[in-house]
Amino acid sequence: MYFSAEAVEEIAKGLIPVYHPELATARIRYVFRETAAKSGGRVQFGSAAKVTGRNEFLIGADFVIELAQDVWNEASGEARTAMVDHLLERCWGE
């Protein structure tokens, strides 16, 4: 299940102008997934994906940043900022 992630968006709004100015005009959607995914036995706190084609048209976004709500809820403010910054770094492309 997915939920809007306004708290993530608020952190990103503070980071983008200072550390990621190339994303100033990017349309980014921020979502929580209920629980973290695992890859190779390791917890994946989130992901960033470029949206193209039909999906770009349907959701009106260039990127989707997805974070695991269970991991987010356990993280400190500093860790949350670091997670968002890390995922913003992964947003690139034309």
Side-chain angles (χ1 to χ4, degrees):
M1 189 176 304
Y2 292 89
F3 310 93
S4 292
E6 290 88 6
V8 176
E9 184 172 5
E10 286 304 311
I11 291 172
K13 283 182 180 178
L15 293 172
I16 288 171
V18 178
Y19 301 106
H20 307 282
E22 70 281 3
L23 297 175
T25 60
R27 300 168 300 161
I28 305 173
R29 295 284 310 265
Y30 304 90
V31 298
F32 283 126
R33 66 181 290 141
E34 199 168 356
T35 57
K38 289 188 179 181
S39 177
R42 296 182 58 183
V43 172
Q44 303 297 306
F45 69 85
S47 64
K50 182 161 178 52
V51 183
T52 61
R54 177 178 45 207
N55 290 334
E56 179 183 7
F57 170 76
L58 290 171
I59 69 169
D62 301 308
F63 301 97
V64 172
I65 289 182
E66 175 185 311
L67 285 115
Q69 191 170 35
D70 58 340
V71 174
W72 181 264
N73 289 343
E74 297 295 321
S76 68
E78 189 174 287
R80 289 176 176 183
T81 299
M83 286 188 280
V84 175
D85 186 52
H86 174 77
L87 293 174
L88 288 170
E89 285 287 333
R90 297 180 158 272
C91 294
W92 59 276
E94 294 181 40

